[in-house]
Amino acid sequence: MHMPPLASYRLQLHHGFTFDDALANLDYFSGLGISHLYASPITTAQAGSLHGYDMADPTQVSAELGGEEGLRRLVAALRRRHMGLIADIVPNHMGVGGPGNPWWQDVLAHGEASEYATYFDIDWQTTVPGLRGKIMLPALGQEYGGALAAGELKLAVDAAAGQFFISYFDQRFPLNLFGHGAVLRAARSPEAEALLPLVEEAQAPGHGTQRTAALGQLHAQTAALLATAAGQRMHAAINHAFDVGEAAGRTMLHALLEHQHYRLSQWTAANDEVNWRRFFDVSTLAGLRIEQPQVFDSVHALPFRLFAEGLIDGIRIDHIDGLADPGAYCRQLRERLTALLPARPPEAALERPWIVVEKILGTDEVLRDDWQTDGTTGYDFMNEVSAVLHRDKGQLVLHDAWQNWAGEALADYASVALAARRKVLTEHFSSELDTSCHAFLALARRDLDARSITFHAIRRALIELVVHFPVYRVYDGQNAADRRHFATAFDAANDALRRVDRPVLAAIRDWLGFGAATQPEPHAAEDAALLLARRRFLQLTSPVAAKSVEDTAFYRYGVLISRNEVGADPGVFALSVEAFHHLVQQRQHHYPHAMLATATHDHKRGEDVRMRLAVLSEIPQRWIELVERWHRLNHEICIRAGAQAPGRDYEAMLYQTLVGAWPLTLNPADAVGLADFRSRIVARQLKAQREAKLRTDWLVPDLVYEAACQHFIENLLQPGGPFVQELAQFVGKIGAAGASNSLTQTVLKLTVPGMPDFYQGTEFWDGSLVDPDNRRAVDFPERLDALEHMILGSDDAPVLALLDSWRDGRIKQAIIQRLLQLRGTIPALFLDGGYQPLELHGECAGHAIAFLRQRDLDTLLVVVPRWPLALGDGPHLEVAAPRWRNTSLLLPHALPDATWQNVLTGKTLQVEEDKCALADLASPLPWGIWHLDHRNATN
């Protein structure tokens, strides 16, 4: 366990798949060759959470997952198999959509006086009328008055705890001390009156400990009273006074609510007036002030203890760009974890903590070395490996067709993304934008040379600056890369603004520290107002980018949707082999142990869906003709669905989704199987349409249009129908090429520098779509059975034996298992070995990627196919030797005269010169992974 992770397996834990469920499948994970399980967040989340990112109590291991006892059982079993556990932590936000968060409930009860008031990023001095000193709670499904009149808001009591609260369906909002007193007074009983001095004592200014003691006494005595007959009479009187079935009761309840530290609002008002930082635009997730020492310590007390006790071995940091100062956070985390290394038990000893960050890198952006992490969670690799397997010649042809189908407004990705950024910023982050504007306005008002700058001028300038940002965010004005990215946004914003607003933009630039000065400003660290303005801005650009690009533009632009993936830029259609090698070498130099992902719980479509769609870049004209044919074929369905549904853009993207996700083993006449597929497509397309925010959206759905689109899909996917027959036939023609791409992607992930991660279930073909589809239950017994048959089978070359049955996905699992076993046998080669690109020559040189990994006495030669449609033989994965024609690669001079062994087939090859034919290296199995053990070399 001294080494960094060699290979991880991501598990989505929840009440339906707990620690014990993971434990029950450890033999499978171990047999596959996994070194570390990589779990979704394990702290207590909101009740029933299916992902864990809505953390409610960071101090406790989730009871729904099995609690700390279940965690210890799992880790003990992992240790017996020499495996470890990577934890996913969430320092940016907490779940506040239910009653399970004690910190948030305390803030609602006590407002700014709460000891947790500074834990959350709340603007207590908001300029919104009636909200200063309060928290906006956009929790209502309808207007406040309607909810009150309908009796949805009620006064309730937790008799055992002695606490009154407001009930709204499954939510509960605590009352402050004034409210507790008002309720007791409404009872008009001597027993209730006797409790009022305790209310006054708890309200009196004093030390937090005194207040806590007084509160405890008040609640205890209230609970004791409620357990008596007199208390029951008091409770009945209170219920009568606040009876929402009566006008007087609703008036009383409204008066009570008006005196709380929160203001209840309809959920649709959040984007305009919410006065606390959210995770993206999700109003059930509240941003944390993790840069505050007490918040950092409170949130990390549990993971630090688990790390010290050897229960976790690595950390994945969620949404790093949401933090005020990601670099300082990462350095602090590493320092604290490093200090805990001596405390770990011997069987869990580590040389250094392994830390990766969820960071979306823009084009030409690199992860900062001074953060002291081990790299990213792998979205950058996911983009690179996908791009290198797309053929660039298909871009212009597909783009012209898309422009014809979708129109000029959706033709250019940069324009689509810009429009999406503007819409998302001004409509979904309007409140956060205004908060940032007010912070800059405060700087202007104190500056004699800037006092005439107005709020609206700042707002206009900020809008242009944010929407033109080329990356998710920058961090400080002293970094050259940050200055370059900021300058790009500044110049574009400057061009977009009226001349009268350009000085305002320049002032904002200077306030942010990106002006002409390149030295740190004196006293800036002590300037609270300046720091607040910078923090508001820096924490705004990232969520705007994520929501506008990943969750809007990706659903509008459809040249080839395999490039519309988290971490990718759809405007960058393909990547050359040389560029791919360069990026791999950069990662090897800076982050050799970074995570390499090809699928995640957040991906837009499964790793094998993307790889099948990549084949379309090889046959763009053929695809265009097919889309046109299908449009004519399905024209009558369009008419029946409605004149506006589904639209040519939607239809074109739908056909791509169907081709990419169609199960290889699905018979088009299978009514049951097709019904399951149809329901998945309907759900995916509904989400896609609402995320696109063009004809419908989440705020006010166009139910007529949505129903028409659902009608179109349901009629399209009828068992045995002409379209379904043609769809299955086309997938049958390109399916092998898509599978070839998938296996190339898999081999590259397992052999280039970095740590491969396998999202749950993707060791078979991954035809998943966007969540929740990509979080469906995994059939682990089926996978274990396939693994055992492969391991225990008599065939010495199981990969070759599975070629004929490639459609069931077992060949992918077999390749993964073989290469993971190799990683476990010679870990140093993969952890620290060199990476040397190899030159390819001949007619098919563009159809392969080749490189060497070398360390000490081990060398690995990897050759994988690219653009396989021209290499393959219809429905087969094999590449016959003649297909490679005269293509060869050049080995370093020191390597010839040696016997290499194929890792996947067991075949040996004697190499006697530096030029080696791909017909020998990559045929019939086109994935040539050759190991040279110099201990047994002939030279």
Side-chain angles (χ1 to χ4, degrees), residues 384-404:
E384 295 156 14
V385 75
S386 175
V388 78
L389 298 178
H390 282 69
R391 191 158 196 176
D392 52 358
K393 79 169 189 179
Q395 180 175 12
L396 291 179
V397 180
L398 290 171
H399 177 271
D400 289 347
W402 169 252
Q403 183 172 348
N404 182 50

Side-chain angles (χ1 to χ4, degrees), residues 870-920:
L871 296 173
D873 182 17
H876 304 292
L877 292 181
E878 299 95 319
V879 173
R883 291 278 187 164
W884 287 115
R885 298 181 178 88
N886 60 346
T887 308
S888 61
L889 59 78
L890 293 178
L891 290 171
H893 293 295
L895 287 179
D897 294 332
T899 300
W900 298 72
Q901 183 171 37
N902 191 304
V903 176
L904 299 181
T905 67
K907 175 184 175 182
T908 59
L909 179 66
Q910 183 70 28
V911 177
E912 298 178 351
E913 56 182 34
D914 57 2
K915 187 176 182 180
C916 198
L918 263 61
D920 295 325

Side-chain angles (χ1 to χ4, degrees), residues 500-745:
V500 69
D501 288 331
R502 290 173 183 172
V504 179
L505 180 67
I508 293 172
R509 176 197 60 196
D510 294 342
W511 286 327
L512 287 170
F514 287 90
T518 57
Q519 298 298 318
E521 306 124 300
H523 312 301
E526 292 80 39
D527 189 335
L530 181 64
L531 293 178
L532 176 63
R534 290 180 176 179
R535 178 165 59 84
R536 293 292 187 213
F537 175 81
L538 294 175
Q539 290 182 293
L540 175 62
T541 62
S542 177
V544 168
K547 290 300 295 183
S548 59
V549 173
E550 299 171 23
D551 293 343
T552 306
F554 280 7
Y555 293 100
R556 295 181 175 185
Y557 184 74
V559 170
L560 193 57
I561 60 175
S562 48
R563 296 298 296 134
N564 298 10
E565 190 52 80
V566 182
D569 179 354
V572 180
F573 187 81
L575 194 67
S576 69
V577 172
E578 293 74 20
F580 176 77
H581 283 316
H582 173 72
L583 291 168
V584 171
Q585 289 173 314
Q586 289 292 106
R587 186 179 296 108
Q588 180 203 27
H589 177 71
H590 294 282
Y591 300 104
H593 306 140
M595 182 178 283
L596 307 179
T598 48
T600 76
H601 61 286
D602 280 333
H603 66 231
K604 301 304 179 186
R605 52 198 54 82
E607 60 182 52
D608 300 322
V609 175
R610 296 194 304 273
M611 291 298 94
R612 189 186 298 168
L613 289 174
V615 177
L616 302 183
S617 68
E618 296 188 64
I619 49 169
Q621 192 58 47
R622 183 177 168 191
W623 170 247
I624 293 166
E625 292 169 358
L626 189 60
V627 170
E628 293 289 359
R629 169 176 167 72
W630 285 348
H631 176 67
R632 293 191 298 270
L633 178 66
N634 301 318
H635 182 63
E636 289 299 322
I637 301 177
C638 290
I639 294 175
R640 292 198 302 272
Q644 302 301 316
R648 288 302 303 271
D649 54 339
Y650 166 94
E651 188 181 359
M653 288 191 285
L654 173 62
Y655 292 147
Q656 290 186 53
T657 298
L658 294 174
V659 166
W662 180 267
L664 289 165
T665 57
L666 178 59
N667 186 316
D670 179 358
V672 175
L674 195 58
D676 177 69
F677 181 66
R678 186 169 55 239
S679 67
R680 292 173 54 213
I681 296 298
V682 166
R684 186 269 171 194
Q685 291 303 109
L686 176 62
K687 178 171 183 174
Q689 291 167 320
R690 290 185 177 180
E691 294 284 27
K693 308 171 186 68
L694 290 174
R695 301 175 182 87
T696 186
D697 59 33
W698 294 105
L699 289 172
V700 185
D702 184 337
L703 300 181
V704 174
Y705 171 74
E706 291 177 356
C709 291
Q710 180 173 340
H711 172 86
F712 178 74
I713 295 173
E714 290 176 343
N715 282 272
L716 203 65
L717 299 177
Q718 287 298 313
F723 171 74
V724 171
Q725 295 282 1
E726 290 195 15
L727 172 63
Q729 289 169 8
F730 180 69
V731 171
K733 292 176 181 177
I734 69 166
S740 178
N741 278 336
S742 295
L743 296 179
T744 291
Q745 175 177 249

Side-chain angles (χ1 to χ4, degrees), residues 106 110 177 198 201-202 210-220:
D106 195 81
H110 304 294
L177 286 166
L198 288 176
E201 182 180 349
Q210 295 175 329
R211 189 191 66 149
T212 300
L215 277 173
Q217 190 176 5
L218 171 63
H219 292 150

Side-chain angles (χ1 to χ4, degrees), residues 48 53 69 173 216 355 368 436 571 700 711 779 796 877 911 927:
Y53 290 100
E69 289 186 4
F173 309 111
I355 304 170
R368 296 272 288 265
S436 183
V700 185
H711 172 86
D779 189 342
D796 292 331
L877 292 181
V911 177
W927 303 277

Side-chain angles (χ1 to χ4, degrees), residues 313-333:
D313 307 290
I315 297 288
R316 182 258 197 195
I317 304 169
D318 182 64
H319 190 45
I320 191 68
D321 272 345
L323 309 188
D325 189 343
Y329 170 83
C330 290
R331 290 188 290 272
Q332 183 180 12
L333 184 68

Side-chain angles (χ1 to χ4, degrees), residues 179-487:
H180 198 107
V183 170
L184 291 174
R185 291 185 183 93
R188 301 182 181 276
S189 71
E191 293 85 2
E193 294 284 341
L195 294 176
L196 291 177
L198 288 176
V199 175
E200 295 173 0
E201 182 180 349
Q203 286 179 304
H207 193 274
T209 304
Q210 295 175 329
R211 189 191 66 149
T212 300
L215 277 173
Q217 190 176 5
L218 171 63
H219 292 150
Q221 292 198 24
T222 302
L225 175 59
L226 287 169
T228 66
Q232 293 297 311
R233 291 191 297 272
M234 178 190 75
H235 190 192
I238 291 171
N239 285 341
H240 177 73
F242 291 93
D243 183 1
V244 293
E246 304 290 334
R250 293 193 294 275
T251 300
M252 288 277 287
L253 186 60
H254 170 64
L256 185 66
L257 282 166
E258 286 292 274
H259 285 86
Q260 298 310 303
H261 295 300
Y262 50 85
R263 190 188 76 189
L264 291 169
S265 301
Q266 189 173 1
W267 70 277
T268 54
N271 293 341
D272 292 330
E273 291 192 346
V274 70
N275 63 325
W276 40 276
R277 183 171 59 87
R278 301 170 291 174
F279 171 75
F280 294 176
D281 59 350
V282 182
S283 299
T284 56
L285 299 173
L288 284 167
R289 294 287 310 280
I290 205 69
E291 69 275 12
Q292 299 289 336
Q294 72 273 23
V295 184
F296 181 94
D297 289 341
S298 298
V299 170
H300 293 86
L302 177 63
F304 285 160
R305 178 172 64 81
L306 298 179
F307 184 80
E309 294 181 21
L311 294 175
I312 60 176
D313 307 290
I315 297 288
R316 182 258 197 195
I317 304 169
D318 182 64
H319 190 45
I320 191 68
D321 272 345
L323 309 188
D325 189 343
Y329 170 83
C330 290
R331 290 188 290 272
Q332 183 180 12
L333 184 68
R334 179 165 294 284
E335 179 182 359
R336 294 288 292 273
L337 290 172
T338 300
L340 295 172
L341 287 175
R344 291 174 63 87
E347 66 274 13
L350 292 174
E351 292 182 0
R352 69 192 297 270
W354 185 81
I355 304 170
V356 292
V357 294
E358 184 195 30
K359 163 69 180 168
I360 306 299
L361 295 170
T363 304
D364 299 325
E365 184 183 11
V366 296
L367 186 65
R368 296 272 288 265
D369 287 339
D370 62 357
W371 286 11
Q372 299 180 15
T373 70
D374 289 286
T376 73
T377 56
Y379 286 121
D380 43 343
F381 174 78
M382 188 160 77
N383 169 47
E384 295 156 14
V385 75
S386 175
V388 78
L389 298 178
H390 282 69
R391 191 158 196 176
D392 52 358
K393 79 169 189 179
Q395 180 175 12
L396 291 179
V397 180
L398 290 171
H399 177 271
D400 289 347
W402 169 252
Q403 183 172 348
N404 182 50
W405 296 329
E408 193 67 33
L410 297 176
D412 175 64
Y413 176 71
S415 299
V416 171
L418 182 65
R421 285 174 181 267
R422 193 177 302 279
K423 180 179 181 67
V424 165
L425 174 61
T426 57
E427 297 180 15
H428 292 254
F429 290 90
S430 179
S431 177
E432 289 84 351
L433 173 62
D434 288 350
T435 299
S436 183
C437 291
H438 281 295
F440 284 110
L441 184 63
L443 298 181
R445 289 293 181 263
R446 73 181 193 181
D447 186 343
L448 298 183
D449 295 322
R451 294 184 72 180
S452 296
I453 293 178
T454 66
F455 171 85
H456 291 288
I458 291 173
R459 198 175 196 273
R460 289 192 295 270
L462 273 184
I463 288 173
E464 296 305 325
L465 187 60
V466 172
V467 301
H468 284 98
F469 243 65
V471 292
Y472 272 51
R473 67 169 284 180
V474 292
Y475 306 94
D476 67 76
Q478 308 308 311
N479 179 270
D482 279 0
R483 292 182 69 84
R484 185 174 67 253
H485 294 314
F486 187 89

